Amino acid sequence: MTSWGALFDWDGVVVDSSRHHERSWELLARETALPLPEGHFKRGYGMKNEAIIPDLLDWTRVPSEIRRLSLRKEELFRELVRAEGLEPLPGARAWIAALDGGGVPRAIASSTHRENIETLLRVLGLGGFAAVITAEDVSRGKPDPEVFVKAAQALRLPPSRCVVFEDTHAGVAAARAAGSRVVAVSTTHPADTLREADLVVGRLDELRIPDLEVWFS
């Protein structure tokens, strides 16, 4: 086993479930007769529901209602995934297999709900993650580094011995704040806007383990 670990954001890095998430918000709005402001999905991408519902959508600030709406939104998302299926992003499965072969431990570190990730891992047939840190495990969302610090702890490594794989500006900032190296994948934002990352790729299978190991030699 190597002396460094891999921490994966989920949406936009391993899978592109943005279409399913956007549709689940639309279904929830229709079901509850609540309004969705123009451009809400792009502005809220990567944020926790607990911030989106009161701060971005301005639906409610009652904690019990925020939780109810959040859980229903994720239930609708899982129904869509089970009905329509989903594929990993191009290159993701090959890169995960390469890390397996190289003995690099890995964890998921995402603001996505745990049941969503567990559902998708089953649907996709992806395994071997030593830890899955999700929205339920943290009190502060990205760009706070909490999710990456906890994921590194789960691998029994300091964040400085981990590479984070991210697709958003908030995620890159969170990884930087944790003290980790960052590889940005230009699936959500143009490559030239992700300059804060150590490395930017179009897809994960452009990477080679020796190119990342030099950061820890």
Side-chain angles (χ1 to χ4, degrees):
M1 185 172 288
T2 65
S3 62
W4 63 279
L7 309 181
F8 285 83
D9 178 45
W10 184 250
D11 285 306
V13 174
V14 179
V15 299
D16 179 6
S17 56
S18 58
R19 179 172 59 88
H20 297 73
H21 278 294
E22 187 167 14
R23 284 180 59 203
S24 64
W25 280 114
E26 292 166 356
L27 289 170
L28 179 63
R30 190 181 312 153
E31 184 176 280
T32 56
L34 289 165
L36 281 176
E38 186 78 24
H40 73 94
F41 185 71
K42 195 163 189 178
R43 292 201 305 276
Y45 197 82
M47 292 171 58
K48 294 177 70 173
N49 292 351
E50 290 76 9
I52 291 172
I53 290 167
D55 300 333
L56 183 61
L57 300 180
D58 197 25
W59 280 356
T60 180
R61 296 189 178 275
V62 178
S64 60
E65 274 298 284
I66 292 171
R67 176 170 173 76
R68 183 184 70 81
L69 290 166
S70 174
L71 291 177
R72 178 57 180 155
K73 184 266 169 191
E74 300 310 327
E75 185 178 26
L76 290 165
F77 168 80
R78 291 190 294 275
E79 288 174 4
L80 287 171
V81 168
R82 284 191 286 263
E84 300 177 3
L86 196 66
E87 288 297 320
L89 279 163
R93 194 183 292 275
W95 177 237
I96 289 168
L99 293 173
D100 269 345
V104 179
R106 64 185 192 275
I108 293 168
S110 172
S111 56
T112 299
H113 283 233
R114 177 173 299 278
E115 194 172 346
N116 289 3
I117 292 179
E118 290 177 347
T119 297
L120 282 165
L121 286 172
R122 288 193 296 272
V123 168
L124 298 172
L126 290 175
F129 288 93
V132 179
I133 307 300
T134 64
E136 291 86 346
D137 301 309
V138 298
S139 56
R140 301 177 299 278
K142 302 168 188 176
D144 189 278
E146 183 183 10
V147 68
F148 294 126
V149 172
K150 287 193 170 182
Q153 289 172 344
L155 295 183
R156 299 185 178 180
L157 290 168
S160 60
R161 301 291 303 181
C162 293
V163 180
V164 168
F165 300 92
E166 259 290 353
D167 66 308
T168 68
H169 300 118
V172 171
R176 282 289 189 211
S180 300
R181 293 284 191 159
V182 196
V183 173
V185 190
S186 58
T187 50
T188 305
H189 299 287
D192 62 359
T193 70
L194 296 164
R195 295 192 188 97
E196 294 302 311
D198 294 284
L199 184 63
V200 182
V201 294
R203 45 189 283 168
L204 288 172
D205 61 353
E206 295 173 28
L207 297 165
R208 298 293 178 268
I209 288 176
D211 298 334
L212 306 188
E213 282 181 336
V214 298
W215 290 338
F216 307 104
S217 59

